[in-house]
Coordinates of all heavy atoms in Angstrom, one line a residue:
M1 N -1.5 6.1 7.4 CA -1.1 5.2 6.3 C 0.4 4.9 6.3 O 1.2 5.9 6.3 CB -1.6 5.8 5.0 CG -1.1 5.1 3.8 SD -1.8 5.6 2.2 CE -0.8 6.9 1.8
S2 N 0.7 3.7 6.2 CA 2.1 3.4 6.1 C 2.6 3.3 4.6 O 1.7 3.1 3.7 CB 2.5 2.0 6.8 OG 2.2 1.0 6.0
R3 N 3.8 3.5 4.4 CA 4.3 3.4 3.0 C 5.7 2.6 3.1 O 6.4 2.6 4.1 CB 4.6 4.8 2.4 CG 3.3 5.5 2.2 CD 3.7 6.7 1.3 NE 3.3 7.9 2.0 CZ 3.5 9.1 1.5 NH1 4.2 9.3 0.4 NH2 3.2 10.2 2.2
V4 N 6.0 2.0 2.0 CA 7.3 1.3 1.8 C 7.9 1.7 0.5 O 7.2 2.1 -0.4 CB 7.1 -0.2 1.9 CG1 6.6 -0.7 3.3 CG2 6.2 -0.7 0.8
L5 N 9.2 1.6 0.4 CA 9.8 1.9 -0.9 C 11.2 1.2 -1.0 O 11.7 0.7 -0.1 CB 10.0 3.5 -1.1 CG 10.9 4.2 -0.1 CD1 12.4 4.1 -0.4 CD2 10.5 5.7 -0.2
T6 N 11.6 1.2 -2.3 CA 13.0 0.7 -2.6 C 13.7 1.8 -3.2 O 13.1 2.7 -3.8 CB 12.9 -0.5 -3.5 OG1 12.4 -0.1 -4.7 CG2 12.2 -1.7 -2.9
I7 N 15.0 1.8 -3.1 CA 15.9 2.8 -3.7 C 16.9 2.0 -4.5 O 17.6 1.1 -4.0 CB 16.6 3.6 -2.6 CG1 15.5 4.3 -1.7 CG2 17.5 4.7 -3.3 CD1 16.1 4.8 -0.5
Q8 N 17.2 2.5 -5.7 CA 18.3 1.9 -6.6 C 19.0 3.0 -7.2 O 18.5 3.9 -7.9 CB 17.7 1.0 -7.6 CG 18.7 0.3 -8.5 CD 18.1 -0.6 -9.5 OE1 17.1 -1.3 -9.2 NE2 18.8 -0.8 -10.6
R9 N 20.4 2.9 -7.1 CA 21.2 3.9 -7.7 C 21.8 3.3 -8.9 O 22.3 2.1 -8.9 CB 22.3 4.4 -6.7 CG 21.8 5.2 -5.6 CD 22.9 5.6 -4.6 NE 22.4 6.4 -3.6 CZ 21.7 6.1 -2.6 NH1 21.4 4.8 -2.4 NH2 21.2 7.0 -1.7
T10 N 21.9 4.0 -10.0 CA 22.4 3.5 -11.3 C 23.2 4.6 -12.0 O 22.7 5.8 -12.1 CB 21.3 3.0 -12.2 OG1 20.5 2.1 -11.5 CG2 21.8 2.4 -13.5
T11 N 24.4 4.3 -12.5 CA 25.1 5.2 -13.4 C 25.3 4.4 -14.7 O 25.8 3.3 -14.7 CB 26.5 5.5 -12.8 OG1 26.3 6.2 -11.6 CG2 27.2 6.5 -13.7
I12 N 24.9 5.0 -15.8 CA 24.9 4.4 -17.1 C 26.0 5.0 -18.0 O 26.3 6.2 -17.9 CB 23.6 4.4 -17.7 CG1 23.0 5.8 -17.9 CG2 22.6 3.6 -16.9 CD1 22.0 5.9 -19.0
P13 N 26.5 4.3 -19.0 CA 27.4 4.9 -20.0 C 26.6 5.9 -20.8 O 25.4 5.7 -21.1 CB 27.8 3.7 -20.8 CG 27.5 2.5 -20.0 CD 26.4 2.8 -19.1
P14 N 27.2 6.9 -21.3 CA 26.5 8.0 -22.1 C 25.8 7.4 -23.3 O 24.7 7.8 -23.6 CB 27.6 9.0 -22.5 CG 28.6 8.8 -21.4 CD 28.6 7.4 -21.0
G15 N 26.4 6.4 -23.9 CA 25.8 5.8 -25.1 C 24.5 5.0 -24.8 O 23.8 4.6 -25.8
E16 N 24.3 4.7 -23.6 CA 23.1 3.9 -23.2 C 21.9 4.7 -22.7 O 20.9 4.1 -22.3 CB 23.6 2.9 -22.1 CG 24.6 1.9 -22.6 CD 24.0 0.9 -23.6 OE1 22.9 0.4 -23.3 OE2 24.7 0.7 -24.6
R17 N 22.0 6.0 -22.7 CA 21.0 6.8 -22.1 C 19.6 6.7 -22.7 O 18.6 6.4 -22.0 CB 21.4 8.3 -22.2 CG 20.5 9.2 -21.5 CD 20.9 10.7 -21.6 NE 20.0 11.6 -21.0 CZ 20.0 11.9 -19.7 NH1 20.9 11.4 -18.9 NH2 19.1 12.7 -19.2
A18 N 19.5 6.7 -24.0 CA 18.2 6.6 -24.7 C 17.6 5.2 -24.4 O 16.4 5.1 -24.1 CB 18.4 6.8 -26.2
K19 N 18.4 4.1 -24.4 CA 17.9 2.8 -24.1 C 17.4 2.7 -22.7 O 16.4 2.1 -22.4 CB 19.0 1.8 -24.4 CG 18.5 0.3 -24.3 CD 19.6 -0.7 -24.4 CE 20.3 -0.7 -25.8 NZ 21.3 -1.7 -25.9
Y20 N 18.2 3.3 -21.8 CA 17.9 3.3 -20.3 C 16.6 4.0 -20.1 O 15.7 3.5 -19.4 CB 19.0 3.9 -19.5 CG 18.8 4.0 -18.1 CD1 18.7 2.9 -17.2 CD2 18.5 5.3 -17.6 CE1 18.4 3.1 -15.9 CE2 18.3 5.5 -16.2 CZ 18.2 4.4 -15.4 OH 18.0 4.6 -14.0
L21 N 16.4 5.2 -20.7 CA 15.2 5.9 -20.5 C 13.9 5.2 -21.0 O 12.9 5.3 -20.5 CB 15.3 7.3 -21.1 CG 16.3 8.3 -20.5 CD1 16.5 9.6 -21.2 CD2 16.0 8.5 -19.0
A22 N 14.1 4.5 -22.1 CA 13.0 3.7 -22.7 C 12.6 2.6 -21.7 O 11.4 2.3 -21.5 CB 13.4 3.2 -24.1
R23 N 13.6 1.9 -21.1 CA 13.3 0.9 -20.2 C 12.6 1.5 -18.9 O 11.8 0.9 -18.3 CB 14.6 0.2 -19.8 CG 15.1 -0.7 -20.9 CD 16.3 -1.7 -20.4 NE 17.2 -1.1 -19.5 CZ 18.4 -0.7 -19.8 NH1 18.9 -0.7 -21.0 NH2 19.2 -0.2 -18.8
L24 N 13.1 2.6 -18.5 CA 12.4 3.3 -17.4 C 11.0 3.6 -17.7 O 10.1 3.4 -16.8 CB 13.1 4.6 -17.0 CG 14.5 4.5 -16.3 CD1 15.1 5.9 -16.1 CD2 14.4 3.8 -15.0
A25 N 10.7 4.0 -18.9 CA 9.3 4.3 -19.2 C 8.4 3.0 -19.2 O 7.3 3.0 -18.7 CB 9.2 4.9 -20.6
E26 N 9.0 1.9 -19.6 CA 8.3 0.6 -19.5 C 8.0 0.2 -18.0 O 6.9 -0.2 -17.7 CB 9.1 -0.5 -20.1 CG 9.2 -0.4 -21.6 CD 10.1 -1.5 -22.2 OE1 10.6 -2.4 -21.5 OE2 10.4 -1.4 -23.4
R27 N 9.0 0.4 -17.2 CA 8.9 0.1 -15.8 C 7.9 1.0 -15.1 O 7.1 0.6 -14.3 CB 10.2 0.1 -15.1 CG 11.0 -1.1 -15.6 CD 12.4 -1.3 -15.1 NE 12.7 -0.8 -13.7 CZ 13.8 -0.1 -13.4 NH1 14.7 0.1 -14.3 NH2 14.0 0.3 -12.2
A28 N 7.9 2.3 -15.5 CA 7.0 3.2 -14.9 C 5.5 2.8 -15.2 O 4.6 2.8 -14.3 CB 7.2 4.7 -15.4
A29 N 5.3 2.4 -16.4 CA 3.9 1.9 -16.8 C 3.6 0.7 -16.0 O 2.4 0.5 -15.6 CB 3.9 1.7 -18.4
H30 N 4.5 -0.2 -15.9 CA 4.3 -1.4 -15.1 C 3.9 -1.1 -13.7 O 2.8 -1.6 -13.2 CB 5.5 -2.4 -15.1 CG 5.4 -3.4 -14.1 ND1 4.6 -4.6 -14.2 CD2 6.0 -3.5 -12.8 CE1 4.8 -5.3 -13.1 NE2 5.6 -4.7 -12.3
Y31 N 4.7 -0.3 -13.0 CA 4.4 0.0 -11.6 C 3.1 0.8 -11.4 O 2.3 0.6 -10.5 CB 5.6 0.8 -11.0 CG 6.8 -0.1 -10.7 CD1 8.0 0.2 -11.4 CD2 6.7 -1.3 -10.0 CE1 9.1 -0.6 -11.2 CE2 7.8 -2.1 -9.8 CZ 9.0 -1.7 -10.4 OH 10.1 -2.5 -10.2
S32 N 2.8 1.7 -12.4 CA 1.5 2.4 -12.3 C 0.3 1.4 -12.4 O -0.7 1.6 -11.7 CB 1.4 3.4 -13.5 OG 0.2 4.1 -13.5
G33 N 0.5 0.3 -13.2 CA -0.6 -0.6 -13.3 C -0.8 -1.6 -12.2 O -1.8 -2.3 -12.1
V34 N 0.2 -1.6 -11.2 CA 0.1 -2.5 -10.1 C 0.1 -1.7 -8.8 O 0.6 -2.2 -7.8 CB 1.2 -3.6 -10.1 CG1 1.0 -4.5 -11.3 CG2 2.6 -3.0 -10.2
N35 N -0.5 -0.6 -8.8 CA -0.7 0.2 -7.6 C 0.6 0.7 -6.9 O 0.6 0.7 -5.6 CB -1.7 -0.5 -6.6 CG -3.0 -0.7 -7.2 OD1 -3.6 0.2 -7.8 ND2 -3.6 -1.9 -7.0
C36 N 1.6 1.0 -7.6 CA 2.8 1.5 -7.1 C 3.1 2.8 -7.7 O 2.6 3.2 -8.8 CB 4.0 0.5 -7.3 SG 3.8 -1.1 -6.5
R37 N 4.0 3.5 -7.1 CA 4.5 4.8 -7.6 C 6.0 4.6 -8.0 O 6.7 3.9 -7.2 CB 4.3 6.0 -6.6 CG 3.0 6.5 -6.7 CD 2.0 6.4 -5.5 NE 2.4 5.8 -4.2 CZ 1.8 4.9 -3.6 NH1 0.8 4.3 -4.1 NH2 2.1 4.5 -2.4
F38 N 6.5 5.3 -9.0 CA 7.8 5.1 -9.5 C 8.4 6.5 -9.9 O 7.8 7.2 -10.7 CB 7.8 4.2 -10.7 CG 9.2 3.8 -11.3 CD1 10.1 3.1 -10.6 CD2 9.5 4.3 -12.5 CE1 11.3 2.8 -11.1 CE2 10.8 4.0 -13.1 CZ 11.7 3.2 -12.4
W39 N 9.5 6.9 -9.3 CA 10.2 8.1 -9.6 C 11.6 7.8 -10.0 O 12.2 7.0 -9.4 CB 10.1 9.1 -8.5 CG 8.8 9.4 -8.0 CD1 7.9 10.3 -8.5 CD2 8.1 8.9 -6.8 NE1 6.8 10.4 -7.7 CE2 6.9 9.5 -6.7 CE3 8.5 8.0 -5.8 CZ2 6.0 9.2 -5.7 CZ3 7.6 7.7 -4.8 CH2 6.4 8.3 -4.7
V40 N 12.1 8.7 -10.8 CA 13.6 8.6 -11.2 C 14.1 10.1 -11.1 O 13.5 11.0 -11.7 CB 13.8 8.0 -12.6 CG1 15.3 8.0 -12.9 CG2 13.2 6.7 -12.7
F41 N 15.2 10.2 -10.5 CA 15.9 11.5 -10.4 C 17.3 11.4 -10.9 O 17.9 10.3 -10.8 CB 16.0 12.0 -8.9 CG 14.7 12.2 -8.3 CD1 13.9 11.1 -7.8 CD2 14.2 13.5 -8.2 CE1 12.7 11.4 -7.2 CE2 12.9 13.7 -7.6 CZ 12.2 12.7 -7.1
E42 N 17.8 12.5 -11.5 CA 19.2 12.5 -12.1 C 20.0 13.6 -11.4 O 19.5 14.7 -11.2 CB 19.2 12.7 -13.6 CG 20.5 12.7 -14.2 CD 20.5 12.9 -15.7 OE1 19.4 13.3 -16.3 OE2 21.5 12.5 -16.4
D43 N 21.2 13.3 -11.1 CA 22.1 14.3 -10.5 C 22.5 15.2 -11.6 O 23.2 14.8 -12.6 CB 23.3 13.6 -9.9 CG 24.3 14.6 -9.2 OD1 24.2 15.8 -9.5 OD2 25.1 14.1 -8.4
P44 N 22.1 16.5 -11.6 CA 22.5 17.4 -12.6 C 24.0 17.7 -12.8 O 24.5 18.1 -13.8 CB 21.8 18.8 -12.3 CG 21.5 18.7 -10.9 CD 21.4 17.2 -10.5
G45 N 24.8 17.4 -11.7 CA 26.2 17.6 -11.7 C 27.0 16.4 -12.2 O 28.2 16.4 -12.4
L46 N 26.3 15.3 -12.3 CA 26.9 14.0 -12.7 C 25.9 13.3 -13.7 O 25.1 12.5 -13.4 CB 27.1 13.1 -11.5 CG 27.9 11.8 -11.7 CD1 29.3 12.1 -12.4 CD2 28.1 11.1 -10.4
K47 N 26.0 13.8 -15.0 CA 25.2 13.2 -16.0 C 25.2 11.7 -16.0 O 26.2 11.1 -15.9 CB 25.7 13.8 -17.4 CG 24.6 13.8 -18.4 CD 23.6 14.9 -18.2 CE 22.7 15.0 -19.4 NZ 21.5 15.8 -19.1
N48 N 24.0 11.2 -16.2 CA 23.7 9.7 -16.3 C 23.9 9.0 -14.9 O 24.0 7.8 -14.9 CB 24.6 9.1 -17.3 CG 24.3 9.6 -18.7 OD1 23.2 9.8 -19.0 ND2 25.3 9.8 -19.5
A49 N 23.8 9.7 -13.8 CA 23.8 9.2 -12.5 C 22.3 9.3 -12.0 O 21.8 10.4 -11.8 CB 24.7 9.8 -11.5
F50 N 21.6 8.2 -11.8 CA 20.2 8.2 -11.5 C 19.9 7.5 -10.1 O 20.7 6.6 -9.7 CB 19.4 7.4 -12.6 CG 19.5 8.0 -13.9 CD1 20.5 7.6 -14.8 CD2 18.6 9.0 -14.3 CE1 20.6 8.2 -16.1 CE2 18.7 9.5 -15.6 CZ 19.7 9.1 -16.5
V51 N 18.8 8.0 -9.5 CA 18.3 7.3 -8.3 C 16.8 7.0 -8.6 O 16.1 7.8 -9.1 CB 18.4 8.1 -7.1 CG1 17.8 7.4 -5.9 CG2 19.9 8.5 -6.8
E52 N 16.5 5.7 -8.5 CA 15.1 5.2 -8.8 C 14.4 4.9 -7.4 O 15.0 4.3 -6.6 CB 15.1 4.0 -9.6 CG 15.8 4.2 -10.9 CD 16.0 2.8 -11.7 OE1 15.3 1.9 -11.4 OE2 17.0 2.7 -12.5
F53 N 13.2 5.4 -7.3 CA 12.4 5.0 -6.1 C 11.1 4.3 -6.6 O 10.4 4.8 -7.5 CB 12.0 6.3 -5.4 CG 13.1 7.1 -4.8 CD1 13.7 8.1 -5.6 CD2 13.6 6.9 -3.5 CE1 14.8 8.8 -5.1 CE2 14.6 7.6 -3.1 CZ 15.3 8.6 -3.9
T54 N 10.8 3.3 -5.9 CA 9.5 2.6 -6.2 C 8.8 2.4 -4.8 O 9.4 2.0 -3.9 CB 9.8 1.1 -6.7 OG1 10.7 1.2 -7.9 CG2 8.5 0.5 -7.2
E55 N 7.5 2.9 -4.8 CA 6.8 3.0 -3.6 C 5.5 2.3 -3.7 O 4.9 2.3 -4.7 CB 6.6 4.5 -3.2 CG 5.8 4.7 -1.9 CD 5.3 6.1 -1.8 OE1 4.9 6.7 -2.8 OE2 5.3 6.6 -0.6
A56 N 5.0 1.8 -2.5 CA 3.7 1.2 -2.4 C 3.1 1.4 -1.0 O 3.9 1.8 -0.2 CB 3.7 -0.3 -2.8
D57 N 1.9 1.0 -0.8 CA 1.3 1.2 0.5 C 1.6 0.0 1.4 O 1.5 0.1 2.6 CB -0.2 1.2 0.3 CG -0.7 2.5 -0.4 OD1 0.1 3.5 -0.4 OD2 -1.7 2.5 -1.0
D58 N 2.1 -1.1 0.9 CA 2.5 -2.2 1.8 C 3.6 -3.0 1.1 O 3.8 -3.0 -0.1 CB 1.3 -3.1 2.1 CG 0.7 -3.7 0.9 OD1 1.2 -4.8 0.4 OD2 -0.3 -3.2 0.4
A59 N 4.4 -3.8 1.9 CA 5.6 -4.5 1.5 C 5.2 -5.6 0.5 O 5.9 -5.9 -0.5 CB 6.3 -5.1 2.6
A60 N 4.1 -6.3 0.7 CA 3.7 -7.4 -0.2 C 3.4 -6.9 -1.6 O 3.8 -7.5 -2.6 CB 2.5 -8.2 0.4
T61 N 2.7 -5.8 -1.7 CA 2.4 -5.2 -3.0 C 3.7 -4.8 -3.7 O 3.9 -5.1 -4.9 CB 1.5 -4.0 -2.8 OG1 0.2 -4.4 -2.3 CG2 1.2 -3.3 -4.2
L62 N 4.6 -4.2 -3.0 CA 5.8 -3.7 -3.6 C 6.7 -4.9 -4.0 O 7.2 -4.9 -5.1 CB 6.6 -2.9 -2.6 CG 7.9 -2.2 -3.1 CD1 7.6 -1.4 -4.4 CD2 8.5 -1.3 -2.0
A63 N 6.8 -5.9 -3.2 CA 7.6 -7.1 -3.5 C 7.1 -7.8 -4.8 O 7.8 -8.2 -5.7 CB 7.7 -8.0 -2.4
E64 N 5.8 -8.0 -4.8 CA 5.2 -8.6 -6.0 C 5.3 -7.8 -7.3 O 5.6 -8.3 -8.4 CB 3.7 -8.8 -5.8 CG 3.3 -9.9 -4.7 CD 1.9 -10.0 -4.4 OE1 1.1 -9.5 -5.2 OE2 1.6 -10.5 -3.3
A65 N 5.2 -6.4 -7.2 CA 5.4 -5.6 -8.3 C 6.8 -5.6 -8.8 O 7.1 -5.7 -10.0 CB 5.0 -4.2 -7.9
I66 N 7.8 -5.7 -8.0 CA 9.2 -5.7 -8.4 C 9.5 -7.1 -9.0 O 10.2 -7.2 -10.0 CB 10.1 -5.5 -7.2 CG1 10.0 -4.0 -6.8 CG2 11.5 -5.8 -7.5 CD1 10.7 -3.6 -5.5
A67 N 9.0 -8.1 -8.4 CA 9.2 -9.5 -9.0 C 8.6 -9.6 -10.4 O 9.2 -10.4 -11.2 CB 8.6 -10.6 -8.0
S68 N 7.5 -9.0 -10.7 CA 6.9 -9.1 -12.0 C 7.2 -8.0 -12.9 O 6.7 -7.9 -14.0 CB 5.4 -9.1 -11.8 OG 4.9 -7.9 -11.3
A69 N 8.2 -7.1 -12.5 CA 8.6 -6.0 -13.4 C 9.3 -6.5 -14.6 O 9.9 -7.6 -14.6 CB 9.5 -5.0 -12.6
P70 N 9.3 -5.6 -15.7 CA 10.0 -6.0 -16.9 C 11.5 -6.3 -16.7 O 12.1 -7.2 -17.3 CB 9.8 -4.8 -17.8 CG 8.6 -4.1 -17.3 CD 8.6 -4.4 -15.8
E71 N 12.1 -5.6 -15.8 CA 13.5 -5.8 -15.4 C 13.6 -5.8 -13.9 O 13.8 -4.7 -13.3 CB 14.4 -4.7 -16.0 CG 14.6 -4.8 -17.5 CD 15.6 -3.7 -17.9 OE1 16.4 -3.3 -17.1 OE2 15.5 -3.4 -19.1
P72 N 13.4 -6.9 -13.2 CA 13.6 -6.9 -11.8 C 15.0 -6.5 -11.5 O 15.9 -6.8 -12.2 CB 13.3 -8.4 -11.4 CG 12.6 -9.0 -12.5 CD 13.0 -8.2 -13.8
G73 N 15.1 -5.8 -10.3 CA 16.4 -5.3 -9.9 C 17.4 -6.5 -9.6 O 16.9 -7.6 -9.3
S74 N 18.7 -6.2 -9.6 CA 19.6 -7.2 -9.2 C 20.0 -7.0 -7.8 O 19.9 -5.8 -7.3 CB 20.9 -7.1 -10.2 OG 21.4 -5.9 -10.1
G75 N 20.5 -8.0 -7.2 CA 21.0 -7.9 -5.8 C 19.8 -8.0 -4.8 O 18.7 -8.3 -5.2
P76 N 20.1 -7.9 -3.5 CA 19.1 -8.1 -2.5 C 18.0 -7.0 -2.6 O 18.3 -5.9 -2.8 CB 19.8 -8.0 -1.2 CG 21.1 -7.2 -1.5 CD 21.4 -7.5 -2.9
L77 N 16.8 -7.4 -2.3 CA 15.7 -6.5 -2.3 C 15.6 -5.9 -0.9 O 15.3 -6.6 0.0 CB 14.4 -7.2 -2.7 CG 13.1 -6.3 -2.6 CD1 13.2 -5.2 -3.6 CD2 11.9 -7.2 -2.9
R78 N 15.8 -4.6 -0.8 CA 15.6 -4.0 0.5 C 14.4 -3.1 0.4 O 14.3 -2.2 -0.4 CB 16.8 -3.0 0.8 CG 18.1 -3.8 1.1 CD 19.2 -2.9 1.4 NE 20.5 -3.6 1.3 CZ 21.2 -4.0 2.4 NH1 20.7 -3.7 3.6 NH2 22.3 -4.6 2.3
I79 N 13.5 -3.4 1.3 CA 12.2 -2.6 1.3 C 12.3 -1.7 2.6 O 12.4 -2.3 3.7 CB 11.0 -3.5 1.3 CG1 10.9 -4.2 -0.1 CG2 9.7 -2.6 1.5 CD1 9.7 -5.1 -0.2
Y80 N 12.3 -0.4 2.4 CA 12.3 0.5 3.5 C 10.9 0.8 3.9 O 10.1 1.1 3.1 CB 13.1 1.8 3.2 CG 14.5 1.5 2.9 CD1 15.0 1.1 1.6 CD2 15.5 1.6 3.9 CE1 16.3 0.9 1.4 CE2 16.8 1.3 3.7 CZ 17.2 1.0 2.4 OH 18.5 0.7 2.2
H81 N 10.6 0.8 5.2 CA 9.3 1.1 5.8 C 9.3 2.6 6.4 O 10.3 2.9 7.0 CB 8.9 0.2 6.9 CG 8.7 -1.3 6.4 ND1 7.5 -1.8 6.3 CD2 9.6 -2.1 5.9 CE1 7.7 -3.0 5.8 NE2 8.9 -3.3 5.6
Q82 N 8.3 3.3 6.0 CA 8.1 4.7 6.5 C 8.1 4.7 8.1 O 7.4 3.9 8.7 CB 6.9 5.3 6.0 CG 6.7 6.8 6.4 CD 5.5 7.4 5.8 OE1 4.6 6.8 5.4 NE2 5.5 8.7 5.8
V83 N 8.8 5.6 8.7 CA 8.8 5.8 10.1 C 7.8 6.8 10.5 O 7.9 8.0 10.0 CB 10.3 6.2 10.6 CG1 10.2 6.4 12.1 CG2 11.2 5.1 10.2
E84 N 6.9 6.5 11.3 CA 5.9 7.5 11.8 C 6.6 8.4 12.8 O 7.2 7.9 13.8 CB 4.7 6.8 12.4 CG 3.9 6.0 11.4 CD 3.3 6.8 10.3 OE1 3.0 7.9 10.5 OE2 3.2 6.1 9.2
L85 N 6.5 9.7 12.6 CA 7.1 10.7 13.6 C 6.1 11.4 14.4 O 5.0 11.6 14.0 CB 7.9 11.7 12.8 CG 9.0 11.1 11.9 CD1 9.7 12.1 11.1 CD2 10.0 10.3 12.8

C-alpha cells in the first residue's frame, strides 16, 4: 500500500495557543471525515513550535482534503510519496 503525506511547520505566539489548538481540533475532525490521518507534534524544548502531518492513501484524496479543509495551508502544496524499501 502506498501512502502520501504533507508536512507543515508552525510556530505560534504564546497568546495564540488556545485558538491554534481549537483550529487543529477542527482540522483533525475534517481530515478524519475524508479518509485522511492528521497528527500534530510539539517540540518540548521550544514551546509553541509544531509540526503537522496529514496523510492519505493516495495523492488525489490528500489534495482534495487539503483544498476543502477549514484552513487550507498557505504556500505550495508538497505531497510526499512513501518510498518502498
Side-chain angles (χ1 to χ4, degrees):
M1 167 172 85
S2 83
R3 291 194 240 176
V4 295
L5 62 80
T6 62
I7 303 166
Q8 180 176 330
R9 290 175 176 82
T10 304
T11 302
I12 59 159
E16 297 291 313
R17 184 179 179 86
K19 186 186 297 185
Y20 174 72
L21 293 176
R23 289 192 321 257
L24 287 177
E26 290 174 8
R27 290 179 31 220
H30 165 76
Y31 289 122
S32 177
V34 292
N35 297 317
C36 294
R37 278 115 9 230
F38 182 69
W39 301 280
V40 180
F41 295 82
E42 182 178 17
D43 182 341
L46 184 58
K47 201 73 169 164
N48 297 321
F50 298 92
V51 180
E52 303 170 24
F53 297 89
T54 309
E55 180 195 36
D57 294 334
D58 61 82
T61 298
L62 185 55
E64 289 173 21
I66 290 170
S68 65
E71 287 186 23
S74 60
L77 176 62
R78 292 182 193 255
I79 296 179
Y80 294 88
H81 294 250
Q82 183 179 20
V83 176
E84 297 296 331
L85 303 177

